[in-house]
Amino acid sequence: MSLGGNETMNIRTAAVTTDADTFLRTLYRRHGSALHRLAARMLGGDWHRAQDIVQEVAIHAWQRPMDVGPMDDTVRNRLFTVVSDLVTDGGQDQAERSVETAGEAELALLTAPDAVDQALTAQLVWDAMADLAPPQREVLLHLHYLDRSVSQAARALGVPPGTVKSRTYYATRALRTALRARGVTEC
């Protein structure tokens, strides 16, 4: 049995997405906070722009793994250099220039930032969720991840709907605080 063109493309896309997720989660878990702090410090406390710089560093590391090397602590200095270069060169302007001068083969790689951005955002939210109390984390998972209504979540959790609403309110506040502690300014 052979696969058609679309099926082969879907398998390749899934493999690339899985590889990107694994690579980016590892990179972010091991170096994300340090890179974010460095970028924010270099940008005079602009945490939002620092987050953009860290995402560009992650994209750079994923697209050019031979430049970055293996995923161990020795790579941190190289990543710091990339942060410094992006901040110094005005990272956003550099990204725009590279898109303008990219060849067709390089343009094919530019579809990665969406998967990269999603993986980084998901990792950031999961890390922040770890700061929540278990009942708060549980209610958010039921309402947002499992897409349940308040009454469905109440039945699943065995608590009154008012308790679900109260936990959601406090969980949202706690999650917002946890995200701000990680440099996210707009929740």
Side-chain angles (χ1 to χ4, degrees):
M1 179 172 123
S2 68
L3 297 175
N6 287 340
E7 292 167 338
T8 303
M9 182 60 85
N10 290 339
I11 290 170
R12 287 182 188 151
T13 302
V16 167
T17 301
T18 302
D19 290 346
D21 289 346
T22 302
F23 178 84
L24 292 169
R25 284 183 184 168
T26 303
L27 178 119
Y28 196 83
R29 184 177 56 251
R30 292 182 182 174
H31 308 290
S33 296
L35 295 171
H36 198 238
R37 282 191 306 270
L38 173 65
R41 191 170 38 237
M42 292 180 75
L43 293 166
D46 185 349
W47 286 92
H48 184 68
R49 186 148 175 254
Q51 185 176 5
D52 291 342
I53 295 292
V54 171
Q55 288 179 355
E56 287 186 48
V57 169
I59 292 167
H60 175 84
W62 183 69
Q63 289 178 337
R64 298 169 190 88
M66 299 312 285
D67 284 353
V68 175
M71 292 301 295
D72 60 23
D73 290 334
T74 61
V75 79
R76 188 172 282 193
N77 289 337
R78 175 65 183 133
L79 294 172
F80 282 168
T81 301
V82 175
V83 167
S84 178
D85 291 347
L86 288 172
V87 170
T88 303
D89 294 344
Q92 301 299 351
D93 294 339
Q94 181 181 358
E96 291 171 8
R97 283 192 305 273
S98 68
V99 169
E100 292 171 359
T101 60
E104 281 187 60
E106 292 174 344
L107 286 175
L109 293 175
L110 293 179
T111 59
D114 290 332
V116 170
D117 189 39
Q118 279 185 325
L120 289 172
T121 301
Q123 185 63 43
L124 183 67
V125 172
W126 279 113
D127 287 347
M129 291 278 287
D131 290 354
L132 303 180
Q136 292 175 336
R137 190 170 39 249
E138 190 174 40
V139 77
L140 288 180
L141 290 173
H142 278 275
L143 292 175
H144 297 288
Y145 183 71
L146 298 174
D147 199 29
R148 292 184 172 158
S149 68
V150 170
S151 60
Q152 291 170 330
R155 277 194 302 275
L157 295 170
V159 298
T163 301
V164 170
K165 291 177 184 178
S166 175
R167 284 182 187 171
T168 302
Y169 172 78
Y170 289 108
T172 303
R173 286 180 57 184
L175 183 59
R176 187 174 293 125
T177 300
L179 288 169
R180 282 190 183 126
R182 287 166 173 76
V184 177
T185 56
E186 295 180 26
C187 296

